[in-house]
Amino acid sequence: MLSDKNGRRGSAFLGRLLATTVLIAPGILLAQPPAAVAQTAPAGTVAFAIAPQSVDGALAAFSAATRIQVLTPGAVTQGVGSPGVSGSMSAREGLNRLLSGTGLVARFLNTETVTVERVAAGGAVQLDPVQIEGKRAASGPGALPPAYAGGQVARGGRVGALGNQDVMDVPFNVTGYTAETIRNQQAETVADVLANDPAVRTGFGYGNFSENIVIRGFPLYGEDLSVDGLYGTAPRQIVATDMFERVEVLKGASAFLNGAAPSGTGVGGGVNLVPKRAEDEPLTRLTASYAMDSRFGLAADVGRRFGENNQFGVRANAAVRGGETAIDDEERRLKLGSLALDYRGDRARVTLDVGTQTQRVEQGRTVVYVGSVVPAVPSASQNYAQPWAYSQMRDTFGQVRAEYDILPNLTVHGAFGMRSMREDGDYSTPTVTRADGTATMNRLTVPREDFTVTGQAGLRADVHTGPVRHQLNAGFSALRTTNNNGYEFGATSTVNLYNMVDIPRPRTTSAAGMVGDPPKVSESVLRSLYASDTLSVLDDRVMVTVGLRQQNIQVRGYNRTTGARTSDYDQSALTPVVGLVVKPLKELSLYANRIEGLAQGPTAPSTAANSGEIFEPYRSVQYEVGGKLDFGGFGGSLALFQTTQPSGVTDAATRLYSVSGEQRNRGIELMLFGEPMQGLRLLGGATFIDPELTDTGNAATEGKDAVGVPRHQFNANVEWDLPFLPASFPTVTLTGRVIHTGPQYVNTANTLKIPSWTRFDVGARMTTDIQNRPVTVRAAVENVADKAYWASAFGGYLTQGNPLTAKLSVSVDF
């Protein structure tokens, strides 16, 4: 539970958010005229070409074409033939034709599962009145681009200010991992999902357990994840996946698309989390889970739609997990609850998402700091944390989003959100000083509270001027975050990484802000205005995007003891974007872009001759060219990119500090996905990066590789539905995954590095029908070889990879 103060703050801001919804929604609803423009596209169609054959074969072909799981209890289909189906139609109609004259009936259990049964004597052969929209066009804040063949990734995602887009239509690289992927891989956190991406690697934060995401060699901190396109409402350190439908990765800089990130990261890419929404079919799903060594969990996912046209939706998620992990003596616990409400009218759409998440880590295996040596990696399950070390992170958050069609081609939209966060922890992080594992360790205690208010509003229009189509976007965004914290340092002890002994909780040697409520330490305010135009000709075969965003960054620092202001950073910058898409063939989209990243600029340190001088925001520049292929069942992308990020250096002779250094990441990125043949799904790719440091002012570091950035990364994920099992058997799928990461330097002089590593994961799942209820059993073993390895050196410290971890879950739909 939150502390009294934090609980009152969380309750107060959720009350304000709900009140805002009450004020906004009725006004929008009452403003609708009787004659309204349709808000969603009609039900999507599927191109069927299923020849007459056995019902078993026809249903297998139907499942491959629609990604709808078909259950056939017992031997009801044995010896039965199907007339087949040909042509473009809805999934419901296609299934109806497949079963025509067979004496079988299909009953939809949810949008993903249908069961086929024999009709009793005298019964009518009729499908339930269910509409399946497998290819609905994205429309409104909650509508998503459909899943691609294979169901593991989506056809598109949110591209910042440009909204939901198909990947073939934008000059950027976007990958959206679906709920199906999250469930099938039993991915508990965002980092688990991103383990599928060849451009992404993760480690822990500096001294804590935050998931530090690295995209194209640049970091993305937890504060800089967005939820439904809005910064500031995502949990700060570890984000559970239970409340999210998709995890979308935009690879590359995005200052124009999203604005400056709250903590100034995201130069190499961004992550957007899409909340779950109620679907057209009722959903009641319970999932029980187990993970080594003794971590048990239970989750519930319930969704319903109401109203004459299903215009009102409710989706609720709750999850608890807890117990010992595969790391010796480490315990992790999660408590989560979320509620998503939505209204989808003819001209108005409104969504409301609220949630709370508590993560607690006890004796968590921390990162390892290094001195002049890189220690050999300990055994895979060894823990080097102290029994008194812990971290508890509580986030309460919510946001409301609404849009209204003023005209059929003109829409106004807005979003508002808040987040209240409290963190407490005792941290014990070893610093290794000798190759034999000798290390020093002290205690750091940090209570922290954050409160964020965030919002955005804008207009989008779709107009034509002669042969040119214009997709216009304009709007503004604002975010304010206050950070209160204190700290307490404990005495230093000598320990050994390989033979860690328990030491008493160290006595306090220094402290600040530890009496009463944590004092305010900093306040950040980000404001921006943006406008863009995507011009299209030749039926959208040539598309040019141009845009500008004016960003202001204001950061104030405060003394913990006196409350006096100690720093005041207030700078602005204009960040442009130019993008080009050319589609010479239906299956091929070529693209190029020039876009920038933006972060707070530095202040000259006290050791410099120009101490205290404030510099303009860092402007990173990205150039990218690439191509995307879409063969219907199988697709991919290839990108060549260069991103340069400035850095501050102090001249050794003049002692003048300036922004003259640079990290330049040049790379090639390959991504493959889809279902090239029935029952076989592939997902993976490779990334090659040259991360060079230039103009460092130091001969020892000039031209060297950036810290923690491997020159190559490979991913390969395969799923195979066993084709030789009898039709009466449950559907069985085997899975395998390989993750490979190249060597990484630990220091800028490139004298210390960790070796490359490869991880193998295996798994299986079975889908069956028990008393007409879909049941899915999933089993997996991650790091099946129990390999001990340093997974990341990003930041100049080491994060160890997890040991062999077995997972098991059972899901039942009611």
Side-chain angles (χ1 to χ4, degrees), residues 650-656 697:
T650 301
D651 186 271
T654 65
R655 292 181 52 245
L656 286 174

Side-chain angles (χ1 to χ4, degrees), residues 231-433:
Y231 278 141
T233 60
R236 195 180 84 91
Q237 288 202 24
I238 304 173
V239 185
T241 58
D242 300 76
M243 71 187 77
F244 297 111
E245 180 75 19
R246 290 184 182 170
V247 176
E248 300 174 338
V249 185
L250 171 66
K251 297 161 193 174
S254 61
F256 165 77
L257 297 171
N258 298 311
S263 67
T265 63
V267 170
V271 172
N272 180 58
L273 308 174
V274 181
K276 291 179 178 177
R277 299 269 182 263
E279 299 175 344
D280 288 333
E281 287 309 299
L283 172 68
T284 303
R285 177 178 294 141
L286 296 181
T287 301
S289 63
Y290 162 80
M292 288 177 59
D293 276 343
S294 59
R295 195 160 180 256
F296 295 91
L298 186 63
D301 187 357
V302 180
R304 294 289 187 276
R305 298 210 70 84
F306 306 95
E308 183 179 353
N309 298 309
N310 277 347
Q311 64 265 47
F312 299 101
V314 179
R315 186 82 174 262
N317 279 267
V320 291
R321 288 190 285 271
E324 292 188 5
T325 72
I327 298 170
D328 297 339
D329 301 318
E330 179 183 275
E331 292 188 19
R332 291 187 175 234
R333 293 197 291 271
L334 165 74
K335 294 180 181 179
L336 176 146
S338 69
L339 179 67
L341 307 177
D342 73 272
Y343 169 83
R344 56 187 196 194
D346 290 332
R347 297 179 70 171
R349 280 82 65 193
V350 182
T351 62
L352 171 67
D353 300 285
V354 295
T356 181
Q357 171 189 289
T358 299
Q359 300 264 10
R360 185 176 177 91
V361 182
E362 295 186 6
Q363 200 172 344
R365 183 168 71 183
T366 184
V367 300
V368 174
Y369 304 147
V370 298
S372 58
V373 297
V374 173
V377 64
S379 64
S381 61
Q382 182 176 334
N383 196 345
Y384 26 83
Q386 291 296 315
W388 41 263
Y390 80 98
S391 178
Q392 181 159 298
M393 301 146 280
R394 295 173 293 234
D395 290 87
T396 306
F397 45 90
Q399 66 184 55
V400 59
R401 181 176 288 274
E403 63 178 33
Y404 180 75
D405 297 332
I406 301 172
L407 297 171
N409 61 345
L410 178 63
T411 300
V412 59
H413 58 89
F416 174 75
M418 290 184 281
R419 178 176 65 95
S420 175
M421 180 277 293
R422 169 79 188 206
E423 294 176 7
D424 293 277
D426 275 351
Y427 304 97
S428 63
T429 305
T431 300
V432 176
T433 56

Side-chain angles (χ1 to χ4, degrees), residues 724-738:
F724 47 78
L725 297 178
S728 58
F729 274 51
T731 301
V732 177
T733 301
L734 302 182
T735 65
R737 180 168 65 181
V738 179

Side-chain angles (χ1 to χ4, degrees), residues 27-83:
I28 293 177
L29 302 185
L30 291 174
Q32 300 179 77
V37 180
Q39 161 261 341
T40 57
T45 59
V46 181
F48 290 107
I50 302 176
Q53 57 188 293
S54 69
V55 164
D56 289 333
L59 291 177
F62 171 84
S63 182
T66 62
R67 299 299 303 153
I68 296 174
Q69 181 70 49
V70 181
L71 305 178
T72 54
V76 297
T77 60
Q78 187 172 356
V80 181
S82 167

